[in-house]
Amino acid sequence: MSDLRDWRVTVVPWADRRLWFVQARRGRRVVWGIVYDAADPDSVALARRAIATLRAAGADCSALPSPLPGA
């Protein structure tokens, strides 16, 4: 994965707050995203792995709550 230092990663509710959207923005544009189900442990684990990959590539994940909603 390339250098993602100008990407900012956030999480926002999707639909009924059971689904959440992890999004990476470059400026005002969403350049990557994944929806996960907060009630499904496998889905939450997938979102965590995706975030870890983005963080390792240099994306700014400082705005993410800890723990993730549903985690």
Side-chain angles (χ1 to χ4, degrees), residues 11 17 40 42 51:
V11 62
R17 288 199 173 272
D40 178 10
D42 291 334
I51 290 167

Side-chain angles (χ1 to χ4, degrees), residues 5-39:
R5 285 182 283 184
D6 59 343
W7 287 25
R8 181 170 170 82
V9 182
T10 59
V11 62
V12 294
W14 189 271
D16 61 1
R17 288 199 173 272
R18 183 175 148 215
L19 299 178
W20 291 82
F21 181 54
V22 178
Q23 62 183 356
R25 290 181 170 270
R26 183 182 219 175
R28 297 181 68 159
R29 198 176 90 194
V30 174
V31 292
W32 180 90
I34 185 172
V35 174
Y36 74 93
D37 182 346

Side-chain angles (χ1 to χ4, degrees), residues 38-63:
D40 178 10
D42 291 334
S43 183
V44 173
L46 178 63
R48 283 183 176 157
R49 285 193 302 273
I51 290 167
T53 300
L54 291 169
R55 185 177 281 126
D60 175 8
C61 296
S62 63

